[in-house]
Amino acid sequence: MSIAPLILLVVVFYFLLIRPQRKRQQEAIQMQNSLTPGTRVMTTTGLFGTVVAVDNEDVILEIAPNIETRWVKAAIGRVVTPGDPVVDEPVVDETADEDDTTADRNGGQDSRKQS
């Protein structure tokens, strides 16, 4: 029985999964260590803020005028540049609201439903 296929499988696994993940992790650590006051960032939870101060493993973000929060560096997902597209708010389905008001006006029954 040959062990060549097993070795080939380990090599492929390393180049397709382990190496790219390690590279992304090192890039994230490098980005987090290069944070300076005044940098616009987005946290991993999607909160946008401006770095006010960097204190060892902590970063203080200003999320609104005169509102500062303390985060660990690992929570910073990416640096936001002025040319980055802004993620839009989810669109609210207004027809669902209209259906609810129609049902309220008709005594709790939807006018489209046939009994």
Side-chain angles (χ1 to χ4, degrees):
M1 188 162 182
S2 176
I3 63 168
L6 182 61
I7 293 173
L8 181 64
L9 183 65
V10 170
V11 169
V12 168
F13 185 74
Y14 174 78
F15 280 104
L16 291 179
L17 297 174
I18 297 172
R19 191 166 174 243
Q21 178 62 29
R22 202 175 278 168
K23 183 179 177 185
R24 280 191 298 270
Q25 188 177 24
Q26 288 175 349
E27 288 172 354
I29 290 171
Q30 182 181 6
M31 178 271 302
Q32 292 162 357
N33 288 332
S34 68
L35 293 174
T36 57
T39 306
R40 288 275 300 158
V41 295
M42 183 180 85
T43 65
T44 55
T45 59
L47 183 78
F48 289 88
T50 303
V51 176
V52 175
V54 179
D55 189 30
N56 290 331
E57 291 300 312
D58 294 342
V59 176
I60 299 174
L61 298 180
E62 183 177 46
I63 56 174
N66 298 322
I67 298 178
E68 296 178 354
T69 58
R70 181 178 295 269
W71 295 75
V72 273
K73 281 184 183 178
I76 305 301
R78 67 182 175 105
V79 173
V80 180
T81 58
D84 285 350
V86 176
V87 178
D88 291 336
E89 295 289 323
V91 178
V92 177
D93 186 14
E94 294 179 12
T95 58
D97 293 339
E98 292 173 3
D99 291 345
D100 292 342
T101 57
T102 303
D104 290 341
R105 282 184 270 149
N106 293 330
Q109 295 183 3
D110 194 352
S111 62
R112 294 178 293 168
K113 294 180 182 175
Q114 299 297 325
S115 299

